[in-house]
Amino acid sequence: MLASQRMNTVGRSQPAAARAMASSRLGGRVSRRASLQVVAAEKGKQLMMWEALREATDEEMERDPCVCVMGEDVGHYGGSYKVTYGLHKKYGDMRVLDTPICENGFMGMGIGAAMTGLRPIIEGMNMGFLLLAFNQISNNCGMLHYTSGGQYKAIRSDNPIIFFEHVLLYNIKGEAGGPDEVQCLEKAEMVREGTDVSIFTYSRMRYVVMQAVAELEKKGYNPEVIDLISLKPFDIHTISQSIKKTKKCIIVEECMKTGGIGASLSAVINESLFDDLDHQPPEQ
Amino acid sequence: MARRGLASDANAEVAYIDTSETVIELPGGNVRLTPELSFVGGFEDLTEATRRPIYRTLNAAGREIPGAVLPHPLGKEDAVKMYSTMARLQTMDTMFYDAQRQGRFSFYLTSQGEEATAVAAAAALEPEDEVFAQYREQGVLLWRGYTLQQFAHQLFGNRHEPGKGRQMPIHYGCRDLHFHTISSPLATQMPHAVGAAYAMKLQQARTVTVCFFGEGASSEGDAHAALNFAATLGVPVLFVCRNNGYAISTPAHEQMRGDGVVSRGPAFGIPSVRVDGNDARAVYNAIKAARQIAVDGCRPVLIECMSYRSGHHSTSDDSTRYRTSSEMRSWKARDPVARFRAWLQAAGWWSDAQEADARRTARQGVLDAMDVAAKEELPPLGDMFSDVYAGPGLPWHLQEQYDETLSLLRDHPELKPPGMPMPPPSSS
């Protein structure tokens, strides 16, 4: 199981028009959406996050010839954050494709390739740059299955995923699971079970929260920490179970307050779990 | 190239420049030096002599142009099939347009004046070539076998429509015919076409991707990106620009200041040609030749088809507001369908009797198709919520919304749109 290789963050993004679904071939492990397989040569090997990402990509490309990577500097340069380091030598420059600089252009290209049978991983390099691709992501990538009436279902049964990696987490070390470990990207992760308060977080803030939790424990608190993992849709089951238990909630994130993930989560909690929350504010 | 060498003083390595160089070696190739300072490419340089000429094989009256280069001469069977399709397209467009004006469905968009471009291009392709269209290429679908009934189902948005009524009329999509679903925002299909061509290259297919777009769409950033990517990555895609003179009310000379769209191809290193889009035989030849270049060289080709948008932009437009009726009349006289018919009849391959029969059959076919489509049920309520995510069932938040809507419908059946089936008693 993925321990501290957290794959979702803000600040750097590696969106995928589609992710190779190794789990869909393992039978009994199918989830409705993408599952990422992270592989290490042996179970328990210590890797840095960027290495784990790289190994996972390599593993997927080896299993499925339809998987390819495209974006700026992913090929011979090995990627701006080294996530595709060496893959170009192994798979050639058609499967690890260097593109000219145009995010909306190569995002659209990845969508077209996915529409006709490939499983591309589009490397956006960074969150700010990805916004240039927003038209293709929202109007096309997100909508084509729907607007075509489901005509693209025959090629793939998986949804496009946008996968966020935080640039400040690339060098954190952690333990990777064995070759058959998969992490479900639809479920929130229980990082620390507790009883006093539900802390919802994601990306780099998870680590910051856990540092704070160390201090809270010294003061005698027992917080529950949940990493959202799936930013859309939320794993409402895990979230509501936690709030029903603790009756108090804190959302910790690096995001804009208006129209952000935390704002959405706050709205959902207020709409469906209002009566489960204590109406006394917690003591400061 | 600047030649460097050691100076006679062995303590220091000093570079010296060859002062007689006339050429600089750049990564792309050698480039000559010049003492002249001159600016080229301003629009004032464009003249009849310098604009790319238009390839044509039949004159305005449909007569053979002697000496026209024809790498792919049209035989009777193909020519008759092309013409019948163009005639059926023209009839279909007129009748669907009128049906919209009568309120039978919400929207329509004709390809009047551009029948030759779409049909002849489709005829020059293979059935498995992937087509990414803009929205004015229903002729391609018709050529490939999309029936009048299928068109009508989509326009009426009923339960037989593959898109399940989710988009406006004319947003056709048919994977079986390798015609990808229309999306309203312009030029978004251009990078898609490049991606699909890239997939073909990886899979070593002998097919091509064909991307249709208007001269207005060529202004979009996606158009530039697609051309550049296709050229640098080397993928087999035909970029077919329908330069029909107008983008809603914006005439082509306000859309661009250079020599149309064909002039941009060479800037990207793409072989390019300008064709008379109203000469079905010229379009057929150009596309077929272009396809060969794309397949053999695994590279893009740009074809700019010059024509004229005879009709309004759509049923939401009244183009008499921005163009003169004399201009429209003069172009209607250059009807590409009539022109091709003249050539066919001169060759003895078509007759007035066949014409009357074809038009009558098409008219009746459209009327019947509309009558059938209008009576069909609309898609069920569940189709509003399905396919947002792939996979069985709905995610929890959509299931909640569906249940709420269902409940509202049961309490207030008068809110149900006419034609939509009442959902079954138990929620799915």
Side-chain angles (χ1 to χ4, degrees):
Chain A
M1 197 53 180
L2 280 180
S4 37
Q5 271 98 352
R6 198 40 50 228
M7 294 302 176
N8 36 305
T9 60
V10 295
R12 157 162 154 80
S13 47
Q14 180 161 319
R19 282 269 180 194
M21 291 308 103
S23 69
S24 65
R25 280 173 248 131
L26 291 176
R29 297 268 234 131
V30 175
S31 64
R32 235 182 293 136
R33 282 169 54 213
S35 296
L36 181 73
Q37 180 152 350
V38 175
V39 174
E42 326 93 45
K43 197 177 163 69
K45 182 173 122 179
Q46 286 274 320
L47 288 179
M48 289 200 275
M49 189 170 88
W50 69 266
E51 290 176 308
L53 286 166
R54 189 196 155 283
E55 282 203 19
T57 307
D58 187 2
E59 170 79 5
E60 295 303 303
M61 289 181 76
E62 196 163 316
R63 279 167 176 257
D64 187 347
C66 289
V67 178
C68 53
V69 182
M70 56 182 74
E72 298 155 21
D73 304 304
V74 297
H76 59 88
Y77 189 67
S80 289
Y81 299 99
K82 295 290 164 265
V83 175
T84 51
Y85 186 74
L87 298 184
H88 167 257
K89 270 213 190 82
K90 183 171 174 186
Y91 296 106
D93 49 13
M94 278 313 298
R95 282 186 72 196
V96 186
L97 190 68
D98 277 329
T99 66
I101 303 173
C102 185
E103 285 71 15
N104 209 41
F106 59 71
M107 183 63 63
M109 184 177 158
I111 292 166
M115 284 162 81
T116 50
L118 293 189
R119 308 187 78 110
I121 300 172
I122 319 298
E123 157 70 57
M125 200 186 289
N126 137 4
M127 185 66 215
F129 298 165
L130 245 210
L131 291 174
L132 287 156
F134 196 68
N135 168 48
Q136 285 288 352
I137 292 171
S138 79
N139 278 334
N140 292 297
C141 180
M143 290 195 67
L144 263 166
H145 186 69
Y146 186 77
T147 57
S148 69
Q151 286 188 72
Y152 293 89
K153 226 183 330 194
I155 293 289
R156 55 177 17 83
S157 56
D158 304 300
N159 295 287
I161 301 286
I162 302 184
F163 202 75
F164 293 104
E165 301 156 7
H166 201 296
V167 66
L168 295 178
L169 294 181
Y170 276 127
N171 292 328
I172 61 158
K173 272 206 179 140
E175 200 177 288
D180 290 323
E181 293 288 341
V182 290
Q183 164 107 25
C184 178
L185 294 180
E186 290 172 346
K187 298 223 163 326
E189 186 186 323
M190 181 65 72
V191 184
R192 182 194 189 283
E193 266 192 70
T195 55
D196 294 349
V197 59
S198 300
I199 305 180
F200 299 108
T201 185
Y202 57 95
S203 180
R204 189 173 76 92
M205 286 297 111
R206 167 212 175 104
Y207 297 93
V208 174
V209 163
M210 290 311 288
Q211 284 169 18
V213 159
E215 296 300 309
L216 288 173
E217 281 169 345
K218 287 181 197 152
K219 295 185 180 172
Y221 289 106
N222 184 24
E224 180 150 287
V225 179
I226 289 173
D227 189 331
L228 293 174
I229 304 287
S230 176
L231 302 182
K232 180 175 179 177
F234 293 126
D235 175 2
I236 196 65
H237 176 73
T238 305
I239 291 167
S240 60
Q241 281 204 308
S242 180
I243 286 184
K244 284 174 155 80
K245 181 168 61 167
T246 69
K247 306 194 181 313
K248 294 175 198 60
C249 154
I250 303 175
I251 300 170
V252 183
E253 61 165 358
E254 268 179 303
C255 192
M256 72 282 285
K257 196 141 183 217
T258 303
I261 303 290
S264 288
L265 182 58
S266 178
V268 166
I269 291 171
N270 275 292
E271 279 166 13
S272 52
L273 294 162
F274 186 77
D275 291 333
D276 293 294
L277 290 168
D278 275 353
H279 297 189
Q280 267 318 74
E283 286 179 33
Q284 299 307 306
Chain B
M1 154 129 113
R3 262 182 262 124
R4 297 171 202 281
L6 291 172
S8 51
D9 183 346
N11 289 331
E13 191 179 303
V14 173
Y16 64 80
I17 313 285
D18 173 11
T19 53
S20 67
E21 66 183 347
T22 56
V23 148
I24 295 198
E25 277 177 29
L26 291 178
N30 289 2
V31 183
R32 278 178 301 115
L33 293 163
T34 174
E36 306 276 328
L37 174 61
S38 61
F39 297 86
V40 296
F43 57 81
E44 63 277 13
D45 290 348
L46 290 178
T47 61
E48 200 178 286
T50 58
R51 290 193 190 92
R52 285 302 300 161
I54 298 172
Y55 167 66
R56 170 190 271 204
T57 76
L58 300 175
N59 71 14
R63 301 278 182 269
E64 301 258 352
I65 291 175
V69 172
L70 287 167
H72 303 280
L74 266 178
K76 177 181 177 184
E77 201 183 315
D78 285 336
V80 167
K81 187 180 175 197
M82 271 167 62
Y83 177 75
S84 334
T85 308
M86 284 163 64
R88 191 157 76 253
L89 172 63
Q90 200 174 47
T91 301
M92 172 184 108
D93 270 349
T94 307
M95 294 182 70
F96 280 143
Y97 186 92
D98 290 344
Q100 191 279 345
R101 299 325 275 155
Q102 292 161 22
R104 298 196 73 182
F105 45 85
S106 64
F107 181 80
Y108 195 70
L109 189 153
T110 71
S111 55
Q112 269 154 19
E114 302 179 62
E115 294 90 345
T117 307
V119 174
L125 301 173
E126 296 300 311
E128 291 92 35
D129 290 336
E130 299 288 342
V131 172
F132 289 82
Q134 182 160 307
Y135 49 58
R136 216 181 283 281
E137 298 86 6
Q138 52 268 43
V140 173
L141 269 175
L142 205 53
W143 171 268
R144 285 189 168 184
Y146 210 61
T147 64
L148 296 174
Q149 190 63 71
Q150 285 175 298
F151 278 108
H153 284 324
Q154 200 283 331
L155 296 172
F156 282 83
N158 64 35
R159 65 189 180 96
H160 294 297
E161 202 265 281
K164 301 181 186 169
R166 291 163 180 160
Q167 292 204 88
M168 282 167 66
I170 71 99
H171 288 66
Y172 315 108
C174 187
R175 303 251 15 230
D176 292 341
L177 297 180
H178 303 277
F179 187 95
H180 290 269
T181 306
I182 302 294
S183 170
S184 297
L186 293 180
T188 55
Q189 75 276 16
M190 296 181 70
H192 297 171
V194 175
Y198 163 72
M200 287 172 181
K201 178 172 178 172
L202 260 193
Q203 291 157 348
Q204 297 179 324
R206 295 285 291 174
T207 49
V208 300
T209 302
V210 183
C211 181
F212 290 90
F213 60 103
E215 88 286 350
S218 77
S219 292
E220 287 276 3
D222 275 359
H224 161 98
L227 289 170
N228 192 34
F229 277 54
T232 53
L233 306 175
V235 294
V237 50
L238 303 188
F239 290 107
V240 184
C241 177
R242 291 180 299 95
N243 187 332
N244 65 11
Y246 283 92
I248 308 190
S249 69
T250 307
H253 63 82
E254 285 175 25
Q255 190 70 246
M256 57 195 75
R257 206 40 62 85
D259 180 19
V261 174
V262 67
S263 60
R264 299 179 197 168
F268 293 107
I270 296 177
S272 314
V273 68
R274 176 175 265 161
V275 184
D276 182 348
N278 288 357
D279 175 351
R281 195 171 69 157
V283 173
Y284 178 84
N285 271 269
I287 298 287
K288 226 170 168 68
R291 190 185 182 283
Q292 205 58 52
I293 296 172
V295 167
D296 291 345
C298 200
R299 61 191 302 202
V301 183
L302 173 64
I303 306 102
E304 184 181 21
C305 297
M306 311 303 289
S307 69
Y308 187 80
R309 196 198 74 208
S310 268
H312 305 304
H313 167 73
S314 72
T315 49
S316 305
D317 174 46
D318 172 14
S319 57
T320 60
R321 288 177 16 219
Y322 51 81
R323 49 186 185 177
T324 63
S325 30
S326 64
E327 176 192 304
M328 291 167 70
R329 257 197 315 273
S330 81
W331 274 98
K332 265 221 155 65
R334 301 181 214 187
D335 175 15
V337 184
R339 186 165 154 199
F340 198 48
R341 177 185 165 188
W343 180 65
L344 248 74
Q345 295 210 206
W349 292 347
W350 193 253
S351 68
D352 288 350
Q354 284 171 294
E355 176 72 15
D357 188 55
R359 296 289 180 160
R360 186 180 46 243
T361 309
R363 246 192 314 274
Q364 196 56 50
V366 174
L367 287 171
D368 292 345
M370 287 201 287
D371 282 343
V372 169
K375 294 194 182 82
E376 290 291 330
E377 275 184 342
L378 296 183
L381 178 69
D383 277 356
M384 206 158 89
F385 299 89
S386 58
D387 298 326
V388 179
Y389 292 87
L394 298 178
W396 67 268
H397 62 302
L398 293 183
Q399 185 67 51
E400 244 178 44
Q401 292 173 30
Y402 174 65
D403 291 340
E404 228 177 276
T405 312
L406 200 59
S407 161
L408 180 72
L409 203 53
R410 300 232 169 86
D411 291 343
H412 298 275
E414 70 279 6
L415 291 177
K416 184 180 75 72
M420 188 204 288
M422 193 64 198
S426 58
S427 66
S428 41

